[in-house]
Amino acid sequence: MSNIKLIIEERPSNIGNFMVGRLLPFREKRMVGPFAFIDHMGPTCMSDYENLDVPTHPHIGLSTLTYLFEGSIMHKDSLGTEMEIKPGQINWMTAGKGIVHSERTPEYLRSSNKMLHGLQIWVALPKELEEMEPSFFHVPENQIPEWETDDIAYKLIAGEVLGKKSPVPVYSPLYLLELKSTTSQTVTIGEYLFGESALYILEGSIESEGNVFGPKQILIAKDSKLCTFDMVANTTIYIFGGEPFPEERIIYWNFVASTKELIENAKAKWLTQTFDTVPGETEFVPLPEQNKKDK
């Protein structure tokens, strides 16, 4: 019997002036553990007149995780943070009761050709922490736990698993693991996983129970404890998951919450522009409902 419960394919989505591959949420699977949203950015080659420009927009009830393979993004937020993220580093922004941020190509790259490739992920907060104070945390590449077993390079981007712990300050039991193979290998790590679990194939392919799966797919496991598969040479995958919350989460635009009231309050705040502002930013992304009214 197959341990694969669901296969999710990337779907194209526009985030302003930049196309991404959306993986979560999906109509048949809204979340995996606390993971509520995953976008695969690129790989995109931008010429000297093309830049990433996502103006200020708000979040509540979640933490965002940005992890780049290529390129660079300048993050600015309403806490006064101004942080460039480069490949191999992690930006972890916790919205809590509310934060506003922008994401743009850094000034020194705006007039040159550049690449952008990475993952953007939302992790929902537990109900008791939904309205916590917002915060921002940056992790340099050399602080991320890395090790090698059987010609597979492991990196623990967030959470705690396999006897390792990432410095990213997560707020519920979860894991986000990167695995890179240089040779064909069998991976058996189910005994260490917990909660709901999924596998995302960035490049290469894996084989499970006689079936071959390729890039831009998420495989949702029926039982994380049965997680065994074969990685072909030169494959990169991400295994993520964790304990699901007892309550459902509502996702509206950039807001994640356990109640409609929190969502409606955030919508009203953005419509009246009473969220804290980002220093130096004047543009903002309108609420989707306002966009429709203006047309």
Side-chain angles (χ1 to χ4, degrees):
M1 181 180 292
S2 173
N3 188 40
I4 297 172
K5 181 179 181 180
L6 182 65
I7 300 169
I8 301 176
E9 304 274 355
E10 279 189 21
R11 292 99 57 207
S13 183
N14 194 316
I15 58 167
N17 64 336
F18 192 79
M19 292 300 294
V20 298
R22 183 137 304 160
L23 290 151
L24 281 179
F26 186 61
R27 62 183 179 275
E28 295 173 45
K29 185 63 177 171
R30 307 300 295 176
M31 295 174 63
V32 176
F35 289 82
F37 175 100
I38 300 177
D39 268 356
H40 176 208
M41 304 182 292
T44 299
C45 181
M46 295 183 286
S47 60
D48 56 1
Y49 59 88
E50 295 176 307
N51 292 292
L52 175 71
D53 280 303
V54 182
T56 59
H57 56 283
H59 291 286
I60 64 163
L62 55 82
S63 297
T64 64
L65 187 153
T66 303
Y67 184 70
L68 298 182
F69 313 127
E70 294 180 272
S72 175
I73 296 175
M74 181 62 72
H75 162 99
K76 295 182 181 180
D77 64 39
S78 51
L79 298 173
T81 309
E82 187 168 335
M83 176 64 71
E84 180 182 2
I85 181 171
K86 296 182 178 182
Q89 302 175 347
I90 299 167
N91 272 4
W92 176 260
M93 181 185 75
T94 297
K97 66 182 184 181
I99 198 167
V100 178
H101 76 133
S102 64
E103 296 160 292
R104 300 184 186 274
T105 300
E107 281 298 328
Y108 71 94
L109 293 174
R110 295 184 73 85
S111 299
S112 59
N113 296 337
K114 77 282 289 177
M115 289 290 296
L116 187 59
H117 190 200
L119 295 174
Q120 288 206 311
I121 295 169
W122 296 357
V123 180
L125 289 167
K127 185 177 176 65
E128 65 274 14
L129 294 175
E130 281 184 301
E131 297 185 86
M132 67 183 287
E133 291 296 321
S135 63
F136 179 86
F137 195 80
H138 177 82
V139 183
E141 187 176 11
N142 62 6
Q143 291 183 15
I144 301 170
E146 296 183 64
W147 69 99
E148 190 168 311
T149 304
D150 298 327
D151 285 333
I152 296 176
Y154 289 80
K155 186 179 289 187
L156 181 57
I157 296 169
E160 190 170 358
V161 74
L162 296 169
K164 311 284 185 180
K165 185 176 182 179
S166 166
V168 173
V170 301
Y171 298 99
S172 67
L174 62 87
Y175 45 88
L176 173 57
L177 271 170
E178 177 187 86
L179 281 70
K180 287 179 174 282
S181 66
T182 53
T183 59
S184 296
Q185 295 290 337
T186 298
V187 179
T188 304
I189 60 172
E191 63 181 296
Y192 300 101
L193 303 181
F194 55 88
E196 296 181 332
S197 190
L199 184 156
Y200 171 59
I201 305 165
L202 177 70
E203 58 186 356
S205 61
I206 71 161
E207 183 175 338
S208 177
E209 297 151 336
N211 299 305
V212 177
F213 303 96
K216 301 185 178 182
Q217 291 183 319
I218 283 182
L219 311 180
I220 310 290
K222 290 179 182 175
D223 184 348
S224 62
K225 298 296 182 188
L226 302 179
C227 188
T228 298
F229 53 90
D230 295 317
M231 291 178 71
V232 305
N234 304 313
T235 291
T236 301
I237 64 169
Y238 293 85
I239 297 175
F240 64 95
E243 297 295 348
F245 298 129
E247 326 85 8
E248 287 189 19
R249 287 297 180 276
I250 301 164
I251 301 176
Y252 168 83
W253 191 41
N254 300 314
F255 305 140
V256 174
S258 61
T259 67
K260 288 183 179 179
E261 181 184 13
L262 288 172
I263 297 287
E264 292 302 320
N265 288 344
K267 287 164 65 175
K269 280 186 69 175
W270 191 242
L271 280 171
T272 57
Q273 287 293 293
T274 50
F275 273 91
D276 290 341
T277 58
V278 179
E281 290 275 10
T282 55
E283 290 182 280
F284 65 92
V285 181
L287 195 74
E289 293 171 3
Q290 189 65 32
N291 254 338
K292 292 174 186 175
K293 291 174 186 174
D294 292 343
K295 289 180 180 177

